[in-house]
Amino acid sequence: MSVAPVESIASLSSDLFYDILRRLDGPTLASAACTCAAFCSISKEESLWENVCSSMWPSTNREDVKSLISSIGGFRKFYADCFPLILNKEVVEYQPNCFLEYPEDWTEAEYYGDMNEFESISPSDFVSIVDIRYKEKPICSKVLWGIPNANGFNGWFYNCPFRIDLLTYADRDDNNDGVVTLSVSNGLPPIISMERERKDGKLWRELRDGLQLSWIVVNRKMKQAANLASWSPLGGQRHWPTDKDFVLRFGFVLPAKDILPCQVVECILIMKFRMVHSEQEGGGGGQTSLRLTELSMQLEDMEGAHVNGRNSLHILKEALSCRRSKNYSEVLESCHMYSKVQNELKEEKMRNESRLDRLCILSGIAAFITFCYCVL
């Protein structure tokens, strides 16, 4: 059987082009759009990018989320905003005394900001679209409209530490609203005993290497979106606060220029799993599984202090306009620089406190000697 030769790629039907492109992931689709005019034209189809987004972020399959994405510019723009990660190069090398005026030298008005400036930023404008994957397979998708308790009595939200606990406040209409668990069926290694796990850390390595988090924040008024999660964990802690808990930390460094004196803050996303055991039928032992017990967001400044709700809204708003990068190592470099500067700041603060302690001791000794001399 002979196959008719193709004279040129332009002679192929647009339906065939579409069928080819709909099988591609986002980066490959974007690259294919640059190859020829036909691919470029068809790659602008919203249905292609809707398919890409639903594959990458299962939460975008919800009808309310689809309407939201359409209202802020469509799936193509949504992918372009949320696939690259936030890149913040505003983190500078540590210089002694560069942060020491914070927060004592700031007045209450300077620290909390002018209320009129924040009237245009409403907590109800923000939407959180969250997806968790383990070994490339989705295990949890949640959507949170607005920021919980932001309109509380006397506006307490604006002056209290900002925090979103997604497991507590997520929309009750989520399809998988309930307990999120991982087990051997998801690819977890079987755990014979916690004593062995404490020694070899096999389960911890599997979690750290296999879990991925996407936390997209959308501002409906600004029609902008950004992914505030680092996909892979930036750090974590085994067996804290109990032997059965595993904490993983995601996040990014966000700009806070003209908002806080430290100029940059850390968006910290915490994911915590706890080991549980379910008895098998017949009493033949138990199967080890992990339950997701915490998924939260908070903002901390360079000194580790929690940022209040008012400043957090402004920081989140600015983050949606941040520079993006597809170079993951470049993004991680800014996070590592932040940690380095933060550690140096803590060391400098400890040295200052140590010098102050010695000075107080010497002053006390001098006062005691003076007192003894006067008595004698």
Side-chain angles (χ1 to χ4, degrees):
M1 179 179 177
S2 61
V3 179
V6 177
E7 295 180 0
S8 67
I9 193 169
S11 64
L12 299 176
S13 69
S14 59
D15 290 339
L16 182 57
F17 283 161
Y18 182 89
D19 190 61
I20 294 172
L21 296 181
R22 72 180 180 84
R23 303 172 187 271
L24 305 180
D25 59 14
T28 309
L29 178 58
S31 299
C34 302
T35 58
C36 65
F39 275 3
C40 180
S41 176
I42 298 175
S43 66
K44 296 178 182 179
E45 291 285 338
E46 273 291 287
S47 57
L48 289 174
W49 292 103
E50 181 179 348
N51 182 57
V52 168
C53 289
S54 64
S55 176
M56 189 167 192
W57 302 296
S59 53
T60 60
N61 280 316
R62 291 174 40 145
E63 290 302 322
D64 53 352
V65 177
K66 289 181 180 180
S67 300
L68 170 66
I69 294 175
S70 297
S71 70
I72 65 173
F75 285 91
R76 187 182 179 202
K77 178 180 180 295
F78 182 80
Y79 181 86
D81 287 341
C82 302
F83 175 73
L85 301 178
I86 291 178
L87 177 64
N88 188 350
K89 290 192 172 183
E90 300 299 322
V91 182
V92 297
E93 290 281 357
Y94 172 75
Q95 298 178 359
N97 301 321
C98 62
F99 299 113
L100 295 183
E101 82 255 26
Y102 174 74
E104 289 83 359
D105 292 350
W106 276 48
T107 64
E108 182 177 353
E110 290 174 323
Y111 180 79
Y112 288 115
D114 184 0
M115 277 297 296
N116 294 329
E117 180 185 357
F118 292 89
E119 288 179 353
S120 61
I121 307 175
S122 172
S124 61
D125 293 333
F126 292 91
V127 181
S128 293
I129 303 174
V130 180
D131 291 281
I132 304 175
R133 290 177 176 270
Y134 181 67
K135 294 188 174 180
E136 303 299 333
K137 295 181 180 179
I139 62 170
C140 177
S141 295
K142 291 187 179 293
V143 178
L144 181 63
W145 297 84
I147 297 177
N149 299 328
N151 299 315
F153 179 72
N154 287 337
W156 65 268
F157 164 83
Y158 294 96
N159 296 326
C160 290
F162 172 83
R163 177 184 169 90
I164 298 177
D165 191 336
L166 199 69
L167 296 187
T168 301
Y169 298 111
D171 191 346
R172 294 299 179 183
D173 294 330
D174 285 347
N175 292 330
N176 59 351
D177 181 61
V179 178
V180 179
T181 59
L182 285 174
S183 64
V184 175
S185 61
N186 299 110
L188 283 181
I191 304 301
I192 300 176
S193 69
M194 283 305 300
E195 182 178 357
R196 176 172 296 184
E197 160 56 25
R198 284 192 294 269
K199 291 180 179 179
D200 59 32
K202 185 177 181 180
L203 176 59
W204 167 249
R205 290 194 299 272
E206 291 286 337
L207 281 176
R208 184 189 58 196
D209 299 338
L211 280 168
Q212 292 180 319
L213 173 65
S214 169
W215 190 313
I216 294 173
V217 171
V218 180
N219 187 296
R220 291 183 283 181
K221 183 182 294 184
M222 296 171 56
K223 300 184 184 300
Q224 290 182 324
N227 195 344
L228 301 186
S230 49
W231 278 114
S232 298
L234 297 175
Q237 195 167 0
R238 297 172 57 198
H239 312 307
W240 189 91
T242 72
D243 284 348
K244 296 183 178 182
D245 289 305
F246 300 85
V247 180
L248 297 109
R249 181 177 59 85
F250 302 76
F252 272 123
V253 178
L254 304 180
K257 190 175 182 180
D258 300 326
I259 303 174
L260 293 176
C262 56
Q263 305 296 305
V264 289
V265 300
E266 185 178 13
C267 177
I268 301 176
L269 307 176
I270 296 296
M271 185 188 301
K272 181 185 290 186
F273 283 88
R274 171 164 292 183
M275 182 174 293
V276 294
H277 297 274
S278 58
E279 292 298 328
Q280 296 179 345
E281 295 182 3
Q287 179 183 356
T288 301
S289 61
L290 298 176
R291 177 182 299 167
L292 182 64
T293 59
E294 180 182 338
L295 183 57
S296 63
M297 172 194 291
Q298 59 191 32
L299 303 182
E300 290 187 0
D301 64 18
M302 189 68 76
E303 291 193 347
H306 296 284
V307 181
N308 62 39
R310 184 182 300 158
N311 288 331
S312 295
L313 290 182
H314 204 56
I315 291 169
L316 291 178
K317 175 178 177 290
E318 294 300 316
L320 302 185
S321 304
C322 274
R323 178 184 173 186
R324 313 288 206 277
S325 176
K326 298 178 182 178
N327 188 338
Y328 189 67
S329 60
E330 187 179 24
V331 173
L332 286 181
E333 184 180 351
S334 66
C335 296
H336 294 156
M337 176 61 71
Y338 182 91
S339 297
K340 178 175 178 290
V341 174
Q342 190 178 45
N343 289 335
E344 291 174 348
L345 178 61
K346 289 180 180 177
E347 292 174 0
E348 178 68 17
K349 187 175 181 179
M350 290 176 63
R351 285 193 292 267
N352 289 338
E353 290 177 351
S354 178
R355 286 193 288 266
L356 182 61
D357 288 342
R358 290 197 297 269
L359 180 61
C360 291
I361 292 173
L362 292 176
S363 299
I365 294 175
F368 179 74
I369 294 175
T370 303
F371 172 77
C372 293
Y373 179 78
C374 294
V375 171
L376 295 176

